[in-house]
Amino acid sequence: MRALTWQGKRDVSVETVMDPVLREPTDVIIEVTSTAICGSDLHLYEVLGPFMDKGDILGHEPMGVVVEAGAESGRAVGDRVVVPFGIACGRCWMCTRGLTSQCETTQVREHGSGAALFGYSRLYGSVPGGQAELLRVPHADFGAVEVGTELPDHRYLFLSDVIPTAWQAVDYAGVGLGDTVAVYGLGPIGQMAARIAAHLGARVYGIDPVPERREMAARHHARVFDTDDDTHEAIREDTAGRGPDAVIDAVGMEAHGSPLAQAAHQAVSLLPDAIGRKMMEAGGVDRLSALHSAIDLVRRGGTVSVTGVYGGEASPLPMLTLFDKQIQLRMGQCNVHRWIDELLPLVEDPTDPLGTDDLVTHRLPLSAAPDAYESFQKKTDGCIKVVLDPAS
């Protein structure tokens, strides 16, 4: 089969690789009909190279049709399924409490990590990802979510990551009817978080330096701002001088405006992988400008919800400010399955309340993936969300 593989820092290519095979009776093999590029894929493209191996298959936002089914998979050939990015058994202590991102069956204990993820480095199990023509889905009896056959792929595809991740971010922010929330970063997750918050009745402020991202968010009821010096003051003025009830950090470790951390990332990327892994596991730092901005902006007694991915073990936080402002801080990898039952009716609603018809900016063949990664990282050509078609 053809698959997108990691070859080095900022170097991915489509190669011919071995087809996946069933290994366990709960496995299925799907023919991937749509697979998306996620903002967190850019961490592999740029920052997390020491944990990658040449030839790793990328991608964790796939859906498709079952072409082989294990005897205990609960799925049949021909089923249309979407595959959440986290691999979970559905039966362990963590899974039965809704914490599927901490599944005790698939935890990557070697690195002290939670549940294994598709296409996401040694840190999360080096499981082949979904930017490929075929994908093996472990624990498919729980992890392959069967969906309808009438709606286009993009109505269901984002149940793999974007919509549940954004939904959890808003839930963790604790906002609803009449509340105010600012969303830092209007990439795919930030776009959907802003829409979900508005859907739940909150007043939403979206903050991003890219005009096309601000324009998209504005189409879905967000009041949008650039990342300039006047933004926080303008939002405070609109919230009786206090700041919003919650701020969602949908940026994570790739934030701009942290030159020292950026230099550290660049230095680590030049080291031999074994040394780079040890440095990142023990003393890595993140670019924290978005998180620090969220802490500054949120009102006293408010909540900061972090959904952008961070990876540093030595990242400094302004503890005095957090304590003095009595800020609640919630974060974590998304427990996708916990939210599926709430979200399926929304993505299937003919009125499309979350605007899934207005998120994809680029639909491309798998062969175009290397250029798409570059465009997505550099935010050129109005690139906000890329969906790849492996069959094209």
Side-chain angles (χ1 to χ4, degrees), residues 42-375:
L42 297 181
H43 305 325
L44 309 178
Y45 189 67
E46 180 74 27
V47 179
L48 295 178
F51 293 98
M52 298 295 290
D53 295 295
K54 189 172 182 178
D56 281 351
I57 300 173
L58 301 175
H60 59 266
E61 297 186 1
M63 68 173 293
V65 177
V66 175
V67 292
E68 292 185 61
E72 298 173 20
S73 68
R75 301 291 176 262
V77 171
D79 286 350
R80 189 188 192 200
V81 297
V82 63
V83 181
F85 69 89
I87 302 170
C89 70
R91 296 181 295 275
C92 70
W93 190 92
M94 289 289 183
C95 285
T96 56
R97 284 155 179 81
L99 296 169
T100 54
S101 67
Q102 310 302 324
C103 175
E104 292 178 321
T105 301
T106 73
Q107 277 179 20
V108 185
R109 292 177 173 84
E110 177 187 358
H111 293 286
S113 302
L117 310 180
F118 288 102
Y120 215 78
S121 82
R122 293 188 184 192
L123 282 173
Y124 289 99
S126 295
V127 181
Q131 290 169 3
E133 292 177 326
L134 298 170
L135 174 69
R136 170 182 166 259
V137 183
H139 300 286
D141 53 325
F142 181 68
V145 179
E146 189 172 3
V147 297
T149 58
E150 295 184 0
L151 294 174
D153 275 11
H154 69 261
R155 278 296 191 96
Y156 293 110
L157 176 62
F158 304 125
L159 291 174
S160 62
D161 182 353
V162 175
I163 297 177
T165 296
W167 189 273
Q168 179 171 292
V170 174
D171 182 84
Y172 281 10
V175 295
L177 184 64
D179 293 326
T180 54
V181 59
V183 180
Y184 250 99
L186 295 172
I189 301 296
Q191 293 286 341
M192 197 55 67
R195 298 176 195 187
I196 290 167
H199 172 72
L200 295 175
R203 188 160 79 253
V204 180
Y205 308 93
I207 305 168
D208 197 285
V210 181
E212 293 89 348
R213 293 180 170 195
R214 297 198 301 272
E215 290 166 9
M216 177 179 279
R219 292 199 294 270
H220 297 274
H221 312 295
R223 184 178 175 188
V224 295
F225 297 84
D226 199 344
T227 52
D228 55 38
D229 294 338
D230 299 327
T231 291
H232 284 199
E233 187 58 34
I235 294 174
R236 287 193 182 100
E237 287 180 4
D238 204 53
T239 54
R242 288 184 290 269
D245 299 307
V247 180
I248 294 172
D249 173 3
V251 179
M253 70 171 77
E254 291 282 341
H256 298 290
S258 301
L260 292 178
Q262 182 176 5
H265 287 175
Q266 297 297 328
V268 168
S269 71
L270 297 174
L271 295 171
D273 284 352
I275 298 173
R277 285 195 292 271
K278 288 184 179 296
M279 287 191 66
M280 292 187 73
E281 287 181 324
V285 293
D286 293 300
R287 294 183 240 179
L288 295 171
S289 59
L291 181 55
H292 281 261
S293 295
I295 291 167
D296 175 71
L297 178 59
V298 71
R299 69 162 171 81
R300 290 179 177 274
T303 301
V304 172
S305 174
V306 181
T307 191
V309 174
Y310 287 98
E313 286 285 15
S315 298
L317 285 176
M319 294 305 299
L320 173 62
T321 301
L322 286 165
F323 184 84
D324 179 66
K325 290 184 70 174
Q326 200 171 330
I327 292 170
Q328 298 182 80
L329 190 60
R330 297 200 68 183
M331 66 187 76
Q333 201 77 265
C334 182
N335 304 299
V336 175
H337 294 83
R338 179 176 178 177
W339 312 112
I340 290 291
D341 289 345
E342 293 180 65
L343 295 173
L344 261 174
L346 292 175
V347 301
E348 292 181 330
D349 188 329
T351 67
D352 191 20
L354 302 183
T356 54
D357 288 336
D358 183 29
L359 186 63
V360 179
T361 54
H362 294 69
R363 184 163 189 118
L364 302 167
L366 182 65
S367 60
D371 290 339
Y373 264 76
E374 182 177 9
S375 181

Side-chain angles (χ1 to χ4, degrees), residues 5-68:
T5 63
W6 187 90
Q7 299 296 324
K9 182 176 179 178
R10 300 193 208 106
D11 183 7
V12 297
S13 64
V14 178
E15 306 290 342
T16 299
V17 300
M18 295 292 292
D19 288 357
V21 297
L22 297 175
R23 296 182 183 176
E24 302 292 341
T26 54
D27 290 353
V28 300
I29 307 295
I30 69 166
E31 180 181 4
V32 180
T33 56
S34 291
T35 182
I37 300 176
C38 178
S40 55
D41 287 329
L42 297 181
H43 305 325
L44 309 178
Y45 189 67
E46 180 74 27
V47 179
L48 295 178
F51 293 98
M52 298 295 290
D53 295 295
K54 189 172 182 178
D56 281 351
I57 300 173
L58 301 175
H60 59 266
E61 297 186 1
M63 68 173 293
V65 177
V66 175
V67 292
E68 292 185 61

